[in-house]
Amino acid sequence: MNARSIVVLALILALLGAGLWYRRTFRDDARVMTSESLRSMVPADLNTTALDRIEISRPGSAAVILEKTDGSWRIPALGGVMASAQGVEHMLAAVGGLRGELRSSDPAVLRDFELESEQALGLVLHQGQTELAHLLFGKGDFRQVFVRAAGSSDVCVVPGTILGQLGAHGSSLSAQFWIDTNLLSVPATEVAELRLSTPTDEAILIRTTQVKGNTGNAASAWTLRQSRGKGLPLGQLEDIVPALARVSVFEAVPPGNALVSRLNTPTHRLEIRTPSRTLVLEAALHRDDILVRRADSSHVYRMHATVFRRLFPAPPNPAG
């Protein structure tokens, strides 16, 4: 065997070895993970209910900070708006249950897994000034992701969709992912009175009780009082009531944004009275933006037009 043949054979063997390593490390889908082969990615004594600060970071993107105040998770970068309690709790439950299978302990291959500090998605969990857990997430998809603990070169493959639960969609992070999109919720059965004010109309809808026939059963009915405008049909006002079960928004307006001042003089107002409380929604239209807030809060949100039209109906166009 001449020298050229030896070089070619060595090259082939090297390529086969590299391919086998890559398959075993990155693409060995046939390999079955078992409970015996999995290790916990967070300390066994981690108490997620004791956490009061969460930091999620990605290179080239502003970090997302979540802080717990008076038992509620909030987003400081958005003026302290409420975060989705369900979203945060589901994410923390998933993190607390993260278990992975060891794939490498070689620091030299961290870059291949996109797990160098300057490459990875970072998650830090705090209780006061104490860091309770710090994880780095590298290459991954909707099936699995490579993870290591900060300060360790042990790389584990973790099954599941934790990246999506961390809001890691695309190349950047957004604090908007975490906002509580439910601005207000009032069950229809609790609504006793509505007071609507728009640029064209003012009306009051009052729940009354009527006795049905000879049965003696009480049933709810509504009375409409129009004080200004061309006249809103009773049905349009009644349609507001079920819409109050969940008043949704889709984006929080940062407090430094000039749009916030638009609600200094709201163009629309809806007062919702129940036997135990009174809630007020204020809204303003600015070009393509529909801005809304609760009167008892300074936080301003954007609302979809379909939701706005149900809460603030306009009089029907006259026939012809």
Side-chain angles (χ1 to χ4, degrees):
M1 182 178 293
N2 58 35
R4 182 177 180 181
S5 298
I6 294 174
V7 170
V8 170
L9 180 60
L11 180 61
I12 291 173
L13 290 174
L15 289 173
L16 287 173
L20 179 61
W21 172 84
Y22 178 84
R23 178 177 177 80
R24 287 178 61 84
T25 304
F26 293 100
R27 299 295 303 273
D28 192 2
D29 296 331
R31 183 173 179 174
V32 177
M33 298 183 193
T34 65
S35 58
E36 291 77 14
S37 68
L38 298 178
R39 61 167 69 177
S40 178
M41 300 306 301
V42 297
D45 60 351
L46 177 67
N47 180 9
T48 57
T49 61
L51 299 174
D52 54 22
R53 182 178 171 90
I54 300 169
E55 299 177 24
I56 307 169
S57 60
R58 166 169 271 173
S61 179
V64 173
I65 308 295
L66 305 174
E67 292 182 346
K68 185 185 283 186
T69 304
D70 298 327
S72 298
W73 286 100
R74 295 184 178 272
I75 310 171
L78 297 176
V81 301
M82 294 283 289
S84 167
Q86 185 179 53
V88 176
E89 288 167 5
H90 283 181
M91 180 271 288
L92 290 177
V95 170
L98 279 182
R99 302 182 71 205
E101 184 177 77
L102 182 67
R103 288 298 173 89
S104 172
S105 296
D106 184 0
V109 300
L110 290 181
R111 185 163 295 277
D112 297 327
F113 290 104
E114 297 180 4
L115 277 171
E116 293 283 8
S117 298
E118 69 272 15
Q119 296 174 295
L121 174 79
L123 172 67
V124 187
L125 307 179
H126 292 272
Q127 180 183 4
Q129 300 300 314
T130 304
E131 182 180 290
L132 298 185
H134 185 173
L135 297 178
L136 298 172
F137 298 81
K139 278 186 177 179
D141 53 27
F142 63 93
R143 298 172 303 166
Q144 62 186 30
V145 61
F146 293 99
V147 185
R148 72 180 177 96
S152 170
S153 59
D154 288 351
V155 176
C156 293
V157 61
V158 174
T161 59
I162 185 62
L163 288 179
Q165 290 171 296
L166 290 169
H169 300 286
S171 59
S172 61
L173 300 171
S174 174
Q176 299 287 351
F177 173 84
W178 295 98
I179 70 168
D180 185 354
T181 58
N182 186 16
L183 180 62
L184 180 148
S185 181
V186 181
T189 54
E190 293 184 10
V191 178
E193 183 178 313
L194 297 178
R195 292 174 177 260
L196 176 68
S197 176
T198 74
T200 59
D201 291 87
E202 288 185 3
I204 301 174
L205 186 71
I206 302 173
R207 187 190 294 271
T208 58
T209 301
Q210 296 179 340
V211 177
K212 297 179 65 176
N214 297 323
T215 63
N217 294 329
S220 293
W222 296 98
T223 299
L224 171 61
R225 297 176 184 172
Q226 186 91 22
S227 59
R228 178 174 62 85
K230 299 179 180 179
L232 289 166
L234 175 62
Q236 279 189 294
L237 272 293
E238 288 180 323
D239 287 343
I240 297 174
V241 177
L244 297 173
R246 190 182 192 281
V247 175
S248 62
V249 293
F250 69 91
E251 186 177 274
V253 180
N257 193 307
L259 289 175
V260 171
S261 63
R262 294 285 171 177
L263 276 169
N264 292 341
T265 53
T267 56
H268 296 69
R269 189 175 189 274
L270 178 63
E271 184 176 308
I272 306 141
R273 297 186 177 185
T274 76
S276 60
R277 56 180 174 162
T278 297
L279 300 170
V280 178
L281 287 178
E282 297 175 332
L285 307 182
H286 177 65
R287 297 177 183 172
D288 294 331
D289 280 317
I290 299 173
L291 308 171
V292 64
R293 72 178 175 197
R294 289 176 50 153
D296 59 356
S297 171
S298 61
H299 303 309
V300 176
Y301 298 86
R302 287 185 170 92
M303 174 179 280
H304 286 300
T306 51
V307 179
F308 176 81
R309 286 194 292 265
R310 291 191 69 188
L311 297 172
F312 300 98
N317 291 324

